[in-house]
PDB file of all heavy atoms in Angstrom:
ATOM      1  N   ARG D 459      13.242 -23.874 -21.626  1.00  0.00           N
ATOM      2  CA  ARG D 459      13.424 -23.400 -20.273  1.00  0.00           C
ATOM      3  C   ARG D 459      12.528 -24.137 -19.274  1.00  0.00           C
ATOM      4  O   ARG D 459      12.979 -24.719 -18.305  1.00  0.00           O
ATOM      5  CB  ARG D 459      13.122 -21.902 -20.168  1.00  0.00           C
ATOM      6  CG  ARG D 459      14.089 -21.029 -20.915  1.00  0.00           C
ATOM      7  CD  ARG D 459      13.581 -19.588 -20.876  1.00  0.00           C
ATOM      8  NE  ARG D 459      14.537 -18.704 -21.560  1.00  0.00           N
ATOM      9  CZ  ARG D 459      15.592 -18.154 -20.977  1.00  0.00           C
ATOM     10  NH1 ARG D 459      15.815 -18.366 -19.700  1.00  0.00           N
ATOM     11  NH2 ARG D 459      16.422 -17.384 -21.639  1.00  0.00           N
ATOM     12  N   SER D 460      11.235 -24.046 -19.506  1.00  0.00           N
ATOM     13  CA  SER D 460      10.265 -24.466 -18.506  1.00  0.00           C
ATOM     14  C   SER D 460      10.090 -25.978 -18.455  1.00  0.00           C
ATOM     15  O   SER D 460      10.083 -26.664 -19.496  1.00  0.00           O
ATOM     16  CB  SER D 460       8.919 -23.805 -18.792  1.00  0.00           C
ATOM     17  OG  SER D 460       7.937 -24.234 -17.866  1.00  0.00           O
ATOM     18  N   SER D 461       9.925 -26.509 -17.247  1.00  0.00           N
ATOM     19  CA  SER D 461       9.671 -27.953 -17.079  1.00  0.00           C
ATOM     20  C   SER D 461       8.295 -28.351 -17.571  1.00  0.00           C
ATOM     21  O   SER D 461       8.022 -29.554 -17.694  1.00  0.00           O
ATOM     22  CB  SER D 461       9.812 -28.320 -15.601  1.00  0.00           C
ATOM     23  OG  SER D 461      11.121 -28.053 -15.138  1.00  0.00           O
ATOM     24  N   ILE D 462       7.437 -27.386 -17.819  1.00  0.00           N
ATOM     25  CA  ILE D 462       6.091 -27.700 -18.323  1.00  0.00           C
ATOM     26  C   ILE D 462       6.179 -28.504 -19.612  1.00  0.00           C
ATOM     27  O   ILE D 462       5.356 -29.398 -19.859  1.00  0.00           O
ATOM     28  CB  ILE D 462       5.300 -26.380 -18.559  1.00  0.00           C
ATOM     29  CG1 ILE D 462       5.025 -25.700 -17.214  1.00  0.00           C
ATOM     30  CG2 ILE D 462       3.981 -26.668 -19.286  1.00  0.00           C
ATOM     31  CD1 ILE D 462       4.355 -24.353 -17.354  1.00  0.00           C
ATOM     32  N   PHE D 463       7.193 -28.221 -20.433  1.00  0.00           N
ATOM     33  CA  PHE D 463       7.332 -28.879 -21.723  1.00  0.00           C
ATOM     34  C   PHE D 463       8.395 -29.983 -21.686  1.00  0.00           C
ATOM     35  O   PHE D 463       8.816 -30.464 -22.727  1.00  0.00           O
ATOM     36  CB  PHE D 463       7.733 -27.849 -22.781  1.00  0.00           C
ATOM     37  CG  PHE D 463       6.792 -26.679 -22.853  1.00  0.00           C
ATOM     38  CD1 PHE D 463       7.186 -25.433 -22.417  1.00  0.00           C
ATOM     39  CD2 PHE D 463       5.502 -26.828 -23.309  1.00  0.00           C
ATOM     40  CE1 PHE D 463       6.342 -24.343 -22.470  1.00  0.00           C
ATOM     41  CE2 PHE D 463       4.630 -25.765 -23.377  1.00  0.00           C
ATOM     42  CZ  PHE D 463       5.040 -24.507 -22.941  1.00  0.00           C
ATOM     43  N   ARG D 464       8.829 -30.364 -20.469  1.00  0.00           N
ATOM     44  CA  ARG D 464       9.872 -31.386 -20.344  1.00  0.00           C
ATOM     45  C   ARG D 464       9.415 -32.473 -19.349  1.00  0.00           C
ATOM     46  O   ARG D 464       9.743 -32.428 -18.176  1.00  0.00           O
ATOM     47  CB  ARG D 464      11.170 -30.759 -19.854  1.00  0.00           C
ATOM     48  CG  ARG D 464      11.676 -29.620 -20.730  1.00  0.00           C
ATOM     49  CD  ARG D 464      12.931 -28.996 -20.135  1.00  0.00           C
ATOM     50  NE  ARG D 464      14.013 -29.958 -20.081  1.00  0.00           N
ATOM     51  CZ  ARG D 464      15.155 -29.752 -19.437  1.00  0.00           C
ATOM     52  NH1 ARG D 464      15.342 -28.614 -18.793  1.00  0.00           N
ATOM     53  NH2 ARG D 464      16.104 -30.662 -19.430  1.00  0.00           N
ATOM     54  N   PRO D 465       8.629 -33.445 -19.794  1.00  0.00           N
ATOM     55  CA  PRO D 465       8.046 -34.419 -18.867  1.00  0.00           C
ATOM     56  C   PRO D 465       9.070 -35.255 -18.093  1.00  0.00           C
ATOM     57  O   PRO D 465       8.864 -35.549 -16.915  1.00  0.00           O
ATOM     58  CB  PRO D 465       7.188 -35.309 -19.789  1.00  0.00           C
ATOM     59  CG  PRO D 465       7.708 -35.089 -21.166  1.00  0.00           C
ATOM     60  CD  PRO D 465       8.211 -33.666 -21.182  1.00  0.00           C
ATOM     61  N   ILE D 466      10.176 -35.624 -18.755  1.00  0.00           N
ATOM     62  CA  ILE D 466      11.194 -36.410 -18.050  1.00  0.00           C
ATOM     63  C   ILE D 466      11.862 -35.598 -16.963  1.00  0.00           C
ATOM     64  O   ILE D 466      12.005 -36.018 -15.810  1.00  0.00           O
ATOM     65  CB  ILE D 466      12.248 -36.957 -19.035  1.00  0.00           C
ATOM     66  CG1 ILE D 466      11.587 -37.833 -20.101  1.00  0.00           C
ATOM     67  CG2 ILE D 466      13.328 -37.745 -18.296  1.00  0.00           C
ATOM     68  CD1 ILE D 466      12.529 -38.292 -21.189  1.00  0.00           C
ATOM     69  N   TYR D 467      12.272 -34.363 -17.329  1.00  0.00           N
ATOM     70  CA  TYR D 467      12.917 -33.483 -16.366  1.00  0.00           C
ATOM     71  C   TYR D 467      11.978 -33.166 -15.218  1.00  0.00           C
ATOM     72  O   TYR D 467      12.420 -33.049 -14.067  1.00  0.00           O
ATOM     73  CB  TYR D 467      13.372 -32.203 -17.052  1.00  0.00           C
ATOM     74  CG  TYR D 467      14.010 -31.204 -16.126  1.00  0.00           C
ATOM     75  CD1 TYR D 467      15.358 -31.332 -15.748  1.00  0.00           C
ATOM     76  CD2 TYR D 467      13.281 -30.152 -15.582  1.00  0.00           C
ATOM     77  CE1 TYR D 467      15.934 -30.427 -14.865  1.00  0.00           C
ATOM     78  CE2 TYR D 467      13.864 -29.245 -14.712  1.00  0.00           C
ATOM     79  CZ  TYR D 467      15.190 -29.385 -14.350  1.00  0.00           C
ATOM     80  OH  TYR D 467      15.756 -28.500 -13.484  1.00  0.00           O
ATOM     81  N   ARG D 468      10.704 -32.989 -15.519  1.00  0.00           N
ATOM     82  CA  ARG D 468       9.731 -32.650 -14.474  1.00  0.00           C
ATOM     83  C   ARG D 468       9.664 -33.740 -13.413  1.00  0.00           C
ATOM     84  O   ARG D 468       9.603 -33.454 -12.218  1.00  0.00           O
ATOM     85  CB  ARG D 468       8.355 -32.432 -15.113  1.00  0.00           C
ATOM     86  CG  ARG D 468       7.335 -31.852 -14.142  1.00  0.00           C
ATOM     87  CD  ARG D 468       6.133 -31.306 -14.864  1.00  0.00           C
ATOM     88  NE  ARG D 468       5.412 -32.321 -15.612  1.00  0.00           N
ATOM     89  CZ  ARG D 468       5.274 -32.335 -16.925  1.00  0.00           C
ATOM     90  NH1 ARG D 468       5.849 -31.386 -17.669  1.00  0.00           N
ATOM     91  NH2 ARG D 468       4.589 -33.266 -17.550  1.00  0.00           N
ATOM     92  N   LYS D 469       9.692 -34.997 -13.838  1.00  0.00           N
ATOM     93  CA  LYS D 469       9.673 -36.100 -12.861  1.00  0.00           C
ATOM     94  C   LYS D 469      10.946 -36.120 -12.037  1.00  0.00           C
ATOM     95  O   LYS D 469      10.921 -36.364 -10.813  1.00  0.00           O
ATOM     96  CB  LYS D 469       9.477 -37.430 -13.607  1.00  0.00           C
ATOM     97  CG  LYS D 469       8.089 -37.583 -14.227  1.00  0.00           C
ATOM     98  CD  LYS D 469       7.982 -38.905 -14.960  1.00  0.00           C
ATOM     99  CE  LYS D 469       6.564 -39.127 -15.494  1.00  0.00           C
ATOM    100  NZ  LYS D 469       6.165 -38.118 -16.484  1.00  0.00           N
ATOM    101  N   LEU D 470      12.078 -35.872 -12.687  1.00  0.00           N
ATOM    102  CA  LEU D 470      13.346 -35.825 -11.968  1.00  0.00           C
ATOM    103  C   LEU D 470      13.396 -34.672 -10.968  1.00  0.00           C
ATOM    104  O   LEU D 470      13.994 -34.793  -9.889  1.00  0.00           O
ATOM    105  CB  LEU D 470      14.509 -35.713 -12.959  1.00  0.00           C
ATOM    106  CG  LEU D 470      14.808 -36.951 -13.806  1.00  0.00           C
ATOM    107  CD1 LEU D 470      15.845 -36.641 -14.864  1.00  0.00           C
ATOM    108  CD2 LEU D 470      15.294 -38.111 -12.930  1.00  0.00           C
ATOM    109  N   PHE D 471      12.775 -33.565 -11.331  1.00  0.00           N
ATOM    110  CA  PHE D 471      12.723 -32.416 -10.433  1.00  0.00           C
ATOM    111  C   PHE D 471      11.999 -32.767  -9.136  1.00  0.00           C
ATOM    112  O   PHE D 471      12.494 -32.480  -8.031  1.00  0.00           O
ATOM    113  CB  PHE D 471      12.039 -31.228 -11.113  1.00  0.00           C
ATOM    114  CG  PHE D 471      11.822 -30.051 -10.214  1.00  0.00           C
ATOM    115  CD1 PHE D 471      12.822 -29.130  -9.994  1.00  0.00           C
ATOM    116  CD2 PHE D 471      10.605 -29.876  -9.556  1.00  0.00           C
ATOM    117  CE1 PHE D 471      12.625 -28.038  -9.157  1.00  0.00           C
ATOM    118  CE2 PHE D 471      10.391 -28.794  -8.711  1.00  0.00           C
ATOM    119  CZ  PHE D 471      11.407 -27.878  -8.515  1.00  0.00           C
ATOM    120  N   TRP D 472      10.846 -33.392  -9.252  1.00  0.00           N
ATOM    121  CA  TRP D 472      10.095 -33.754  -8.044  1.00  0.00           C
ATOM    122  C   TRP D 472      10.814 -34.852  -7.266  1.00  0.00           C
ATOM    123  O   TRP D 472      10.742 -34.906  -6.036  1.00  0.00           O
ATOM    124  CB  TRP D 472       8.667 -34.190  -8.419  1.00  0.00           C
ATOM    125  CG  TRP D 472       7.857 -33.051  -8.938  1.00  0.00           C
ATOM    126  CD1 TRP D 472       7.392 -32.875 -10.199  1.00  0.00           C
ATOM    127  CD2 TRP D 472       7.432 -31.891  -8.194  1.00  0.00           C
ATOM    128  NE1 TRP D 472       6.712 -31.689 -10.306  1.00  0.00           N
ATOM    129  CE2 TRP D 472       6.703 -31.068  -9.102  1.00  0.00           C
ATOM    130  CE3 TRP D 472       7.580 -31.475  -6.876  1.00  0.00           C
ATOM    131  CZ2 TRP D 472       6.140 -29.845  -8.698  1.00  0.00           C
ATOM    132  CZ3 TRP D 472       7.025 -30.280  -6.483  1.00  0.00           C
ATOM    133  CH2 TRP D 472       6.318 -29.470  -7.393  1.00  0.00           C
TER     134      TRP D 472
END
Side-chain angles (χ1 to χ4, degrees):
R459 293 173 178 273
S460 178
S461 299
I462 293 174
F463 306 110
R464 304 177 63 191
I466 300 175
Y467 178 81
R468 189 164 63 244
K469 291 179 176 62
L470 289 172
F471 173 84
W472 293 112

